[in-house]
Amino acid sequence: MESNESESPSDPQPHVPHAQQPAPSETAHTSPLQPFGFAFTGNTNEYFRIWIVNLLLSIITLGFYWPWAMVRTRRYFYSNTHLDGHSFDYLAKPKNLLIGYLIVLIFFAIYLLAGLFNPLFIYPVILVYGLAAPWMIYKAFRFRAKNTAYRNVRLKFYGNLGDSYVTFLVWAALIPFTFGFILPYWEMKKKEYFFDNLQFGKTFFNFKPKAAEYYKYYLLFFAIGMGLYFILIFLVIGAAALFGATADTYNPDIFAEEGLTILMIIGAVFGYAVLILIGLVFQKGLWLLVFNYNLSVWNLGRFGFESKMKFAKYVGIAVGNVFASIFSLGLLIPWAKIRITKYRIENIYVLARGGELGEHFGAEMEDEGAFGEAATDFMDFEVGL
Amino acid sequence: MIEFEGTLYRSGSSHAFDAVARVSERGSVTLSVDTDSKEYLISEYEIEPRLGKANRVIRFADGVRFESGNHEALAALEGIFPSSSMLRFVDWMESRWPAALGSIVGVVVFVFLFFEYGMPLTANYIAFEVPQSVRRTLSENGLRTIERYGSFEESYSMRMHELGESAFARALNLASGSLNPDFDYELRIYESQAIGPNAFALPSGLVVATEAFIELCENEEQMVAVFLHEIAHVELQHGLRSLIQDTGVFLMLSMGLGDLSSLGGMAASLPALAIESRYSQNFETEADLYAGKVLEANGIGAGVMKDILILLHSDLPDLDIVQFLATHPDLEERLEALDSLKGEK
């Protein structure tokens, strides 16, 4: 079993049979970038059943089945994601997820109890949580990367703990002092901490986004948001003045007042729905623009990435999903999740120069350690953040 | 012997080979790539649990990963050497529509039983286990929080105190047969423009009434009726029970519906409010009935309870469309519940 490793097809051969033909490696450098798409084979028919069974088992065990449910769900999505005919693996052990889950549960219980005795007691709890959070994020990133594999090679997160404290504590603490102006920069630093510290086999990922791009998107959305906010305020004041005037003139009796109150409640509910809709469009839209940008500046050695997701299409799916999930009382959640995952995955491309994608991976992506070694590392866990 | 084809990846290598797996009767697996082959003992490999129609993966101790889409062969392999029975049961459920539909029913039934009986019973048990010293701290803190936010000050009027104390003593006396000695009953009278005519109870036995409420009562019996209602809240520990229940509801819903901080998660707050309001309305009816029974038993009659409810209610119109979110049942329901007491006699 230890033999023919060197026969990997893309290894440059010393003897080229026909001198006229360029060597394969040269082809790779001169030919144009070629996109390789991902495929997603998950479907609602299958996933609905997995989801509802997991939900039932999670609630009848008062949440303790949750880590097993989580692993099954992730495994389902990973193993149905394919690149170049090979699927992804999610390798986490439910026990390790359970540890993280219990840590969060204990924190939350202490927080609630402290608040009951004296509202002031919650501040030390928040402080401890704040100090522990960067460590937990660091652990979670390592865990998530290590348990993601493609073609028997794991991802590795090699970011350090100090950087996590700088990113998630120092920069976060500066936000109030800068009146939120560094928020886009902070978002970028958070992404950078994860995506620039990843490694696949022996190859490193590179992620060097430009702050100007982040500011461009955030400021654009902020400006449109403020504009809409003022229009809404104007409409509300206008409506209130109109109703106020009619109420004064025509409706002095209590019945009409009740009618007016009902009208106001309906108006408030409608206004609230519109506000949520606008908020969702903004949230999903901003996520998409930043995501598309992030992929364009992310690369793995010679490979680049590209997202071809379209703004209107993506926002339509994402916002539609939220409303479908709410109005179906949750029953359409699996359908919504499959729909958005399919759209996301099937619009992401790996850019490679010529040849087959598999050849490049075969040639250079090799894991260092033994596969089973990392799996026994019980000190790593993931915290739901 | 079971034999099936698949894709093999060596330890730490992304290179894929076409391979064949052969399983012996003793459970050892031999993997072959071309003429090259290696045998693994039954303890040296692990089959990932089945999940939908996705390819199955077998992991070997030396880091080899073998992937195959041959579900029948793998099922046969698992049949000989059983893997985790729990996950096989889960897979059995997941692969059948009747089981999935049964799960929907199961979820609905469990959620209903949990919120209707499980949560209230748990909260009831915990509430009475809490030491009185903790109840006192909670009550004083609660009152201080209200003082901080509203124009809410203790009353200096001697007349108000005399009227209130007299009615309160009478209420305690009427209920004395059934009072739990753990609670320290005390009446405090407050002056507040914002709150208007109102009375409420805190878990330790602290009962608060506003001046406006004392003025609203047409006679002492009406005041006694409301104080009995508040005493019922203390005796049945409604305050602590709702605190525990509401926290439980919040916890369960945020776990079930995911992250409450997200915009989509905001929708989860509506069912939470509806469930909490249902608990609260049940408590109010319970307190009304307690007061009504004591009044009936002492010859005063539940009628005074109805009178004061109507009086208290006169400046608050009922809005049917938001009733399911209200903390109190609507007036008609409360009056009907009190009428039913007479029917029992």
Side-chain angles (χ1 to χ4, degrees), chain A residues 51-61, chain B residues 93 102-103 106-107 110:
Chain A
W51 174 80
I52 190 73
V53 169
N54 279 331
L55 183 65
L56 176 71
L57 293 175
S58 295
I59 64 170
I60 62 175
T61 56
Chain B
M93 298 253 294
S103 298
V107 167
F110 186 87

Side-chain angles (χ1 to χ4, degrees), chain B residues 192-207:
Chain B
S192 169
Q193 297 301 318
I195 293 179
N198 209 336
F200 56 91
L202 292 152
S204 67
L206 207 55
V207 175

Side-chain angles (χ1 to χ4, degrees), chain A residues 180-375:
Chain A
F181 192 71
I182 61 162
L183 207 73
Y185 186 70
W186 184 53
E187 288 296 330
M188 186 187 87
K189 288 312 257 185
K190 288 196 291 188
K191 292 280 185 299
E192 216 177 280
Y193 178 63
F194 186 68
F195 290 105
D196 197 34
N197 286 321
L198 277 181
Q199 179 182 347
F200 181 68
K202 285 174 181 161
T203 314
F204 294 94
F205 280 93
N206 263 302
F207 182 65
K208 294 276 180 268
K210 290 192 175 67
E213 291 289 320
Y214 270 70
Y215 274 93
K216 190 175 84 187
Y217 295 129
Y218 274 83
L219 288 177
L220 178 73
F221 273 75
F222 181 71
I224 299 172
M226 288 308 275
L228 283 173
Y229 178 70
F230 282 118
I231 292 172
L232 208 69
I233 294 263
F234 177 78
L235 285 177
V236 168
I237 292 176
L242 198 69
F243 283 128
T246 47
D248 269 354
T249 332
Y250 304 110
N251 304 317
D253 61 301
I254 187 144
F255 273 112
E257 243 176 69
E258 192 175 320
L260 185 68
T261 323
I262 290 169
L263 207 66
M264 274 165 67
I265 289 170
I266 293 170
V269 169
F270 183 72
Y272 192 60
V274 170
L275 220 59
I276 288 187
L277 180 69
I278 294 173
L280 279 172
V281 170
F282 270 61
Q283 192 191 40
K284 308 293 181 191
L286 186 59
W287 181 89
L288 179 81
L289 292 181
V290 173
F291 179 85
N292 283 355
Y293 170 71
N294 284 342
L295 271 200
S296 72
V297 293
W298 198 38
N299 60 66
L300 171 64
R302 303 206 303 272
F303 303 107
F305 295 93
E306 189 187 359
S307 160
K308 288 186 180 164
M309 282 192 273
K310 298 281 174 289
F311 187 91
K313 176 95 177 154
Y314 178 79
V315 170
I317 292 175
V319 175
N321 276 353
V322 172
F323 284 94
S325 302
I326 292 171
F327 289 112
S328 65
L329 300 177
L331 283 179
L332 284 178
I333 289 174
W335 170 80
K337 218 172 145 187
I338 291 286
R339 192 165 76 121
I340 193 121
T341 309
K342 198 167 173 66
Y343 185 70
R344 278 182 187 165
I345 288 176
E346 298 198 334
N347 282 288
I348 294 174
Y349 295 85
V350 174
L351 304 175
R353 266 179 216 288
E356 256 188 272
L357 194 61
E359 291 176 15
H360 299 287
F361 280 117
E364 57 186 70
M365 312 298 181
E366 283 183 21
D367 213 344
E368 293 149 329
F371 194 77
E373 212 172 81

Side-chain angles (χ1 to χ4, degrees), chain A residues 1 4-5 45-46 49 59 72 75-76 86 89 91 112 116-117 151-152 258 272 361 366-367, chain B residues 9-10 12-14 36 48-51 53 59 63 65 94-95 97 138 141 243 247 266 318:
Chain A
M1 295 283 290
N4 56 16
E5 193 63 48
N45 181 3
E46 231 170 45
R49 289 173 291 171
I59 64 170
R72 276 187 92 70
R75 267 191 58 215
Y76 183 78
H86 302 266
D89 282 328
L91 304 162
L112 285 177
L116 269 182
F117 280 102
R151 306 182 66 156
N152 212 18
E258 192 175 320
Y272 192 60
F361 280 117
E366 283 183 21
D367 213 344
Chain B
Y9 304 82
R10 291 186 171 145
S13 163
S14 62
D36 209 357
E48 276 198 355
R50 202 177 97 102
L51 187 61
K53 286 194 196 68
R59 291 178 198 289
R65 174 186 188 274
E94 284 171 358
S95 45
W97 268 107
L138 283 177
N141 280 337
L243 192 67
T247 310
M266 273 161 69
D318 265 327

Side-chain angles (χ1 to χ4, degrees), chain B residues 43-87:
Chain B
S43 57
E44 288 176 323
Y45 63 89
E46 200 180 341
I47 308 171
E48 276 198 355
R50 202 177 97 102
L51 187 61
K53 286 194 196 68
N55 281 352
R56 301 291 298 271
V57 174
I58 308 177
R59 291 178 198 289
F60 295 87
D62 63 354
V64 167
R65 174 186 188 274
F66 183 79
E67 182 181 331
S68 173
N70 191 335
H71 287 276
E72 297 87 47
L74 273 140
L77 178 57
E78 277 181 324
I80 311 173
F81 315 106
S83 54
S84 156
S85 56
M86 179 186 85
L87 289 177

